[in-house]
Short mmCIF file of all heavy atoms in Angstrom, two decimals:
data_model
loop_
_atom_site.label_atom_id
_atom_site.label_comp_id
_atom_site.label_asym_id
_atom_site.label_seq_id
_atom_site.Cartn_x
_atom_site.Cartn_y
_atom_site.Cartn_z
N VAL A 1 -47.52 59.78 135.41
CA VAL A 1 -48.98 59.81 135.43
C VAL A 1 -49.49 58.64 134.62
O VAL A 1 -50.45 57.91 135.00
CB VAL A 1 -49.64 61.17 135.02
CG1 VAL A 1 -51.12 61.06 134.90
CG2 VAL A 1 -49.23 62.22 135.99
N LEU A 2 -49.02 58.54 133.37
CA LEU A 2 -49.42 57.39 132.51
C LEU A 2 -49.06 56.02 133.22
O LEU A 2 -49.94 55.13 133.22
CB LEU A 2 -48.73 57.40 131.16
CG LEU A 2 -49.27 58.46 130.25
CD1 LEU A 2 -48.53 58.41 128.90
CD2 LEU A 2 -50.70 58.15 129.83
N SER A 3 -48.01 55.87 133.88
CA SER A 3 -47.66 54.72 134.51
C SER A 3 -48.59 54.34 135.60
O SER A 3 -48.99 53.21 135.88
CB SER A 3 -46.13 54.84 135.07
OG SER A 3 -45.81 53.54 135.74
N GLY A 4 -48.90 55.38 136.46
CA GLY A 4 -49.87 55.22 137.44
C GLY A 4 -51.23 54.79 136.91
O GLY A 4 -51.92 53.97 137.50
N PHE A 5 -51.61 55.43 135.86
CA PHE A 5 -52.81 55.05 135.16
C PHE A 5 -52.85 53.59 134.72
O PHE A 5 -53.86 52.81 135.08
CB PHE A 5 -53.11 55.90 133.98
CG PHE A 5 -54.14 55.44 133.07
CD1 PHE A 5 -55.52 55.64 133.35
CD2 PHE A 5 -53.91 54.89 131.85
CE1 PHE A 5 -56.51 55.19 132.63
CE2 PHE A 5 -54.91 54.30 131.06
CZ PHE A 5 -56.23 54.52 131.36
N PHE A 6 -51.85 53.12 134.08
CA PHE A 6 -51.69 51.80 133.77
C PHE A 6 -51.70 50.78 134.91
O PHE A 6 -52.41 49.70 134.94
CB PHE A 6 -50.44 51.44 132.90
CG PHE A 6 -50.58 51.96 131.47
CD1 PHE A 6 -49.68 52.87 131.01
CD2 PHE A 6 -51.60 51.54 130.64
CE1 PHE A 6 -49.76 53.37 129.62
CE2 PHE A 6 -51.71 52.01 129.40
CZ PHE A 6 -50.82 52.95 128.80
N SER A 7 -50.98 51.12 136.00
CA SER A 7 -50.91 50.30 137.13
C SER A 7 -52.23 50.18 137.88
O SER A 7 -52.72 49.08 138.28
CB SER A 7 -49.89 50.74 138.14
OG SER A 7 -48.47 50.73 137.55
N GLY A 8 -52.88 51.32 138.02
CA GLY A 8 -54.20 51.34 138.68
C GLY A 8 -55.21 50.66 137.85
O GLY A 8 -56.11 49.90 138.45
N SER A 9 -55.23 50.75 136.56
CA SER A 9 -56.22 50.08 135.61
C SER A 9 -56.06 48.59 135.77
O SER A 9 -57.04 47.89 135.73
CB SER A 9 -56.03 50.65 134.17
OG SER A 9 -56.19 51.93 134.11
N GLU A 10 -54.82 48.19 135.72
CA GLU A 10 -54.53 46.73 135.81
C GLU A 10 -55.17 46.11 137.04
O GLU A 10 -55.85 45.14 137.08
CB GLU A 10 -53.06 46.31 135.68
CG GLU A 10 -52.76 44.91 135.86
CD GLU A 10 -51.27 44.72 136.10
OE1 GLU A 10 -50.45 45.70 136.12
OE2 GLU A 10 -50.89 43.51 136.31
N THR A 11 -54.87 46.84 138.32
CA THR A 11 -55.39 46.41 139.53
C THR A 11 -56.89 46.48 139.56
O THR A 11 -57.59 45.47 139.99
CB THR A 11 -54.78 47.16 140.72
OG1 THR A 11 -53.40 47.07 140.57
CG2 THR A 11 -55.32 46.78 142.02
N ALA A 12 -57.48 47.51 139.09
CA ALA A 12 -58.90 47.73 139.06
C ALA A 12 -59.75 46.66 138.27
O ALA A 12 -60.68 46.06 138.71
CB ALA A 12 -59.36 49.11 138.71
N LEU A 13 -59.20 46.37 137.06
CA LEU A 13 -59.87 45.50 136.15
C LEU A 13 -59.67 43.98 136.57
O LEU A 13 -60.61 43.18 136.36
CB LEU A 13 -59.34 45.70 134.73
CG LEU A 13 -59.79 47.05 134.15
CD1 LEU A 13 -59.03 47.27 132.77
CD2 LEU A 13 -61.27 47.02 133.78
N THR A 14 -58.63 43.74 137.21
CA THR A 14 -58.49 42.33 137.70
C THR A 14 -59.06 42.05 139.06
O THR A 14 -59.46 40.94 139.29
CB THR A 14 -56.95 42.04 137.76
OG1 THR A 14 -56.28 42.94 138.53
CG2 THR A 14 -56.27 42.00 136.35
N ALA A 15 -59.18 43.14 139.86
CA ALA A 15 -59.72 43.02 141.16
C ALA A 15 -61.21 43.21 141.17
O ALA A 15 -61.90 42.66 142.18
CB ALA A 15 -59.08 43.90 142.12
N ALA A 16 -61.81 43.79 140.23
CA ALA A 16 -63.21 44.10 140.18
C ALA A 16 -64.06 42.86 140.17
O ALA A 16 -63.68 41.86 139.40
CB ALA A 16 -63.63 45.00 139.00
N SER A 17 -65.08 42.72 140.93
CA SER A 17 -65.98 41.62 140.90
C SER A 17 -66.85 41.67 139.69
O SER A 17 -67.52 42.60 139.39
CB SER A 17 -66.93 41.58 142.12
OG SER A 17 -67.94 40.69 142.05
N ARG A 18 -66.89 40.58 138.86
CA ARG A 18 -67.66 40.51 137.71
C ARG A 18 -69.12 40.52 137.97
O ARG A 18 -69.92 40.98 137.24
CB ARG A 18 -67.28 39.25 136.81
CG ARG A 18 -65.90 39.40 136.22
CD ARG A 18 -65.57 38.12 135.27
NE ARG A 18 -66.54 38.04 134.19
CZ ARG A 18 -66.46 38.77 132.99
NH1 ARG A 18 -65.35 39.62 132.88
NH2 ARG A 18 -67.26 38.60 132.06
N GLY A 19 -69.49 39.95 139.16
CA GLY A 19 -70.85 39.94 139.56
C GLY A 19 -71.36 41.39 139.80
O GLY A 19 -72.50 41.79 139.39
N LYS A 20 -70.51 42.15 140.57
CA LYS A 20 -70.85 43.65 140.69
C LYS A 20 -70.91 44.49 139.44
O LYS A 20 -71.84 45.32 139.31
CB LYS A 20 -70.01 44.24 141.72
CG LYS A 20 -70.05 43.63 143.20
CD LYS A 20 -69.10 44.23 144.14
CE LYS A 20 -69.18 43.71 145.55
NZ LYS A 20 -68.30 44.26 146.53
N LEU A 21 -69.87 44.16 138.58
CA LEU A 21 -69.89 44.85 137.37
C LEU A 21 -71.21 44.53 136.56
O LEU A 21 -71.76 45.40 135.83
CB LEU A 21 -68.65 44.46 136.57
CG LEU A 21 -67.41 45.05 137.03
CD1 LEU A 21 -66.20 44.57 136.22
CD2 LEU A 21 -67.34 46.62 136.88
N ARG A 22 -71.64 43.29 136.56
CA ARG A 22 -72.80 42.81 135.80
C ARG A 22 -74.00 43.50 136.42
O ARG A 22 -74.90 43.91 135.56
CB ARG A 22 -72.94 41.28 135.82
CG ARG A 22 -74.27 40.74 135.42
CD ARG A 22 -74.53 41.12 133.92
NE ARG A 22 -73.42 40.48 133.14
CZ ARG A 22 -73.32 40.76 131.84
NH1 ARG A 22 -74.10 41.67 131.19
NH2 ARG A 22 -72.28 40.26 131.10
N ALA A 23 -74.16 43.59 137.76
CA ALA A 23 -75.18 44.36 138.33
C ALA A 23 -75.37 45.78 137.88
O ALA A 23 -76.39 46.32 137.56
CB ALA A 23 -75.12 44.24 139.81
N GLN A 24 -74.10 46.47 137.82
CA GLN A 24 -74.05 47.90 137.36
C GLN A 24 -74.40 47.95 135.96
O GLN A 24 -75.10 48.84 135.49
CB GLN A 24 -72.68 48.35 137.72
CG GLN A 24 -72.30 48.56 139.15
CD GLN A 24 -70.92 49.18 139.28
OE1 GLN A 24 -70.26 49.66 138.39
NE2 GLN A 24 -70.36 49.03 140.57
N ALA A 25 -73.95 46.99 135.15
CA ALA A 25 -74.25 47.04 133.68
C ALA A 25 -75.74 46.84 133.47
O ALA A 25 -76.28 47.46 132.59
CB ALA A 25 -73.43 45.91 132.98
N ASP A 26 -76.46 45.92 134.25
CA ASP A 26 -77.79 45.78 134.11
C ASP A 26 -78.60 47.10 134.48
O ASP A 26 -79.72 47.23 134.02
CB ASP A 26 -78.30 44.63 135.06
CG ASP A 26 -77.79 43.30 134.52
OD1 ASP A 26 -77.42 43.19 133.28
OD2 ASP A 26 -77.65 42.37 135.34
N LYS A 27 -78.01 47.86 135.30
CA LYS A 27 -78.55 49.21 135.66
C LYS A 27 -78.30 50.23 134.63
O LYS A 27 -78.73 51.47 134.83
CB LYS A 27 -78.21 49.60 137.02
CG LYS A 27 -78.60 48.71 138.16
CD LYS A 27 -78.07 49.16 139.53
CE LYS A 27 -78.47 48.21 140.66
NZ LYS A 27 -77.92 48.71 141.96
N GLY A 28 -77.53 49.90 133.62
CA GLY A 28 -77.37 50.92 132.49
C GLY A 28 -75.97 51.60 132.47
O GLY A 28 -75.73 52.48 131.74
N SER A 29 -75.07 51.09 133.41
CA SER A 29 -73.66 51.64 133.33
C SER A 29 -72.92 51.13 132.07
O SER A 29 -72.55 50.01 132.02
CB SER A 29 -72.96 51.28 134.62
OG SER A 29 -71.69 51.70 134.61
N ARG A 30 -72.57 52.07 131.21
CA ARG A 30 -71.75 51.78 130.00
C ARG A 30 -70.31 51.31 130.28
O ARG A 30 -69.76 50.45 129.77
CB ARG A 30 -71.82 52.84 129.02
CG ARG A 30 -73.22 53.23 128.41
CD ARG A 30 -73.10 54.28 127.44
NE ARG A 30 -74.49 54.66 126.94
CZ ARG A 30 -74.73 55.56 126.00
NH1 ARG A 30 -73.67 56.30 125.54
NH2 ARG A 30 -76.01 55.76 125.53
N GLY A 31 -69.80 52.03 131.37
CA GLY A 31 -68.40 51.81 131.79
C GLY A 31 -68.32 50.34 132.33
O GLY A 31 -67.38 49.64 131.93
N ALA A 32 -69.28 49.90 133.06
CA ALA A 32 -69.33 48.53 133.61
C ALA A 32 -69.47 47.54 132.44
O ALA A 32 -68.80 46.44 132.52
CB ALA A 32 -70.43 48.38 134.60
N THR A 33 -70.23 47.89 131.42
CA THR A 33 -70.45 47.00 130.29
C THR A 33 -69.12 46.85 129.62
O THR A 33 -68.75 45.77 129.18
CB THR A 33 -71.46 47.60 129.41
OG1 THR A 33 -72.77 47.72 130.13
CG2 THR A 33 -71.76 46.58 128.24
N ARG A 34 -68.39 47.95 129.41
CA ARG A 34 -67.08 47.92 128.71
C ARG A 34 -66.09 47.13 129.50
O ARG A 34 -65.33 46.39 129.00
CB ARG A 34 -66.58 49.28 128.42
CG ARG A 34 -67.31 50.04 127.23
CD ARG A 34 -66.55 51.22 126.89
NE ARG A 34 -66.47 52.23 127.93
CZ ARG A 34 -67.39 53.21 128.10
NH1 ARG A 34 -68.38 53.36 127.21
NH2 ARG A 34 -67.31 54.09 129.08
N ALA A 35 -66.14 47.33 130.80
CA ALA A 35 -65.19 46.65 131.76
C ALA A 35 -65.35 45.12 131.63
O ALA A 35 -64.53 44.37 131.58
CB ALA A 35 -65.40 47.07 133.15
N LEU A 36 -66.69 44.76 131.60
CA LEU A 36 -67.02 43.25 131.47
C LEU A 36 -66.42 42.76 130.11
O LEU A 36 -65.92 41.62 130.10
CB LEU A 36 -68.55 43.03 131.52
CG LEU A 36 -69.15 43.05 132.94
CD1 LEU A 36 -70.61 43.01 132.89
CD2 LEU A 36 -68.63 41.85 133.73
N LYS A 37 -66.58 43.44 129.13
CA LYS A 37 -66.24 43.03 127.79
C LYS A 37 -64.69 42.85 127.70
O LYS A 37 -64.16 41.83 127.16
CB LYS A 37 -66.61 43.95 126.73
CG LYS A 37 -66.38 43.57 125.21
CD LYS A 37 -66.93 44.48 124.29
CE LYS A 37 -66.68 43.98 122.81
NZ LYS A 37 -67.25 44.96 121.78
N ILE A 38 -63.89 43.89 128.20
CA ILE A 38 -62.46 43.83 127.98
C ILE A 38 -61.84 42.77 129.05
O ILE A 38 -60.69 42.29 128.84
CB ILE A 38 -61.79 45.19 128.21
CG1 ILE A 38 -62.02 45.73 129.61
CG2 ILE A 38 -62.30 46.10 127.10
CD1 ILE A 38 -61.44 47.07 129.79
N THR A 39 -62.61 42.44 130.18
CA THR A 39 -61.99 41.44 131.08
C THR A 39 -62.34 40.01 130.68
O THR A 39 -61.96 39.02 131.35
CB THR A 39 -62.53 41.66 132.45
OG1 THR A 39 -63.98 41.76 132.43
CG2 THR A 39 -61.95 42.95 133.11
N GLU A 40 -63.03 39.82 129.56
CA GLU A 40 -63.37 38.41 129.10
C GLU A 40 -62.19 37.65 128.63
O GLU A 40 -62.06 36.50 128.80
CB GLU A 40 -64.35 38.44 127.91
CG GLU A 40 -65.73 38.90 128.38
CD GLU A 40 -66.68 38.95 127.18
OE1 GLU A 40 -66.26 38.82 126.05
OE2 GLU A 40 -68.02 39.17 127.37
N ASP A 41 -61.15 38.50 128.08
CA ASP A 41 -59.83 37.94 127.77
C ASP A 41 -58.79 38.48 128.70
O ASP A 41 -58.15 39.54 128.27
CB ASP A 41 -59.58 38.17 126.24
CG ASP A 41 -58.43 37.35 125.82
OD1 ASP A 41 -57.62 36.87 126.62
OD2 ASP A 41 -58.17 37.36 124.56
N ASN A 42 -58.57 38.02 129.80
CA ASN A 42 -57.67 38.62 130.85
C ASN A 42 -56.25 38.52 130.24
O ASN A 42 -55.37 39.53 130.58
CB ASN A 42 -57.75 37.85 132.10
CG ASN A 42 -58.74 38.35 133.02
OD1 ASN A 42 -59.19 39.57 132.93
ND2 ASN A 42 -59.34 37.48 133.86
N GLU A 43 -55.85 37.47 129.48
CA GLU A 43 -54.50 37.42 129.06
C GLU A 43 -54.13 38.63 128.04
O GLU A 43 -53.10 39.24 128.15
CB GLU A 43 -54.36 36.06 128.26
CG GLU A 43 -52.90 35.82 127.90
CD GLU A 43 -52.73 34.48 127.24
OE1 GLU A 43 -53.72 33.73 127.08
OE2 GLU A 43 -51.55 34.05 126.82
N ARG A 44 -55.11 38.95 127.22
CA ARG A 44 -54.86 39.97 126.25
C ARG A 44 -54.87 41.41 127.02
O ARG A 44 -54.09 42.29 126.69
CB ARG A 44 -55.96 40.04 125.19
CG ARG A 44 -55.67 41.18 124.16
CD ARG A 44 -56.60 41.04 122.86
NE ARG A 44 -57.97 41.37 123.34
CZ ARG A 44 -58.99 41.56 122.47
NH1 ARG A 44 -58.76 41.40 121.17
NH2 ARG A 44 -60.19 41.83 122.95
N LEU A 45 -55.80 41.48 128.00
CA LEU A 45 -56.00 42.76 128.80
C LEU A 45 -54.62 42.98 129.47
O LEU A 45 -54.02 44.14 129.50
CB LEU A 45 -57.09 42.67 129.79
CG LEU A 45 -57.11 43.72 130.87
CD1 LEU A 45 -57.32 45.09 130.23
CD2 LEU A 45 -58.21 43.33 131.88
N ILE A 46 -54.12 42.00 130.29
CA ILE A 46 -52.92 42.13 131.06
C ILE A 46 -51.71 42.42 130.19
O ILE A 46 -50.84 43.28 130.47
CB ILE A 46 -52.66 40.93 131.98
CG1 ILE A 46 -53.79 40.89 133.05
CG2 ILE A 46 -51.29 40.97 132.59
CD1 ILE A 46 -53.78 39.65 133.82
#
């Protein structure tokens, strides 16, 4: 289950559109805001 979580998270965070995340963050989504922050450094994230 943990392995599936890590694999899915990697795909979601790298495939997610930063433009769409920004739009969601502007609407008040805290999850989208955190996602934008941690994807700023893709090398460390991956």
Side-chain angles (χ1 to χ4, degrees):
V1 172
L2 283 180
S3 179
F5 167 76
F6 284 123
S7 297
S9 300
E10 177 191 1
T11 301
L13 290 168
T14 55
S17 169
R18 291 185 61 83
K20 293 181 179 179
L21 288 175
R22 173 58 62 187
Q24 293 179 12
D26 292 340
K27 294 179 181 179
S29 174
R30 295 183 179 180
T33 304
R34 285 192 297 269
L36 281 172
K37 186 177 181 180
I38 62 178
T39 53
E40 290 178 354
D41 190 348
N42 274 331
E43 190 178 0
R44 187 173 68 167
L45 168 65
I46 294 175

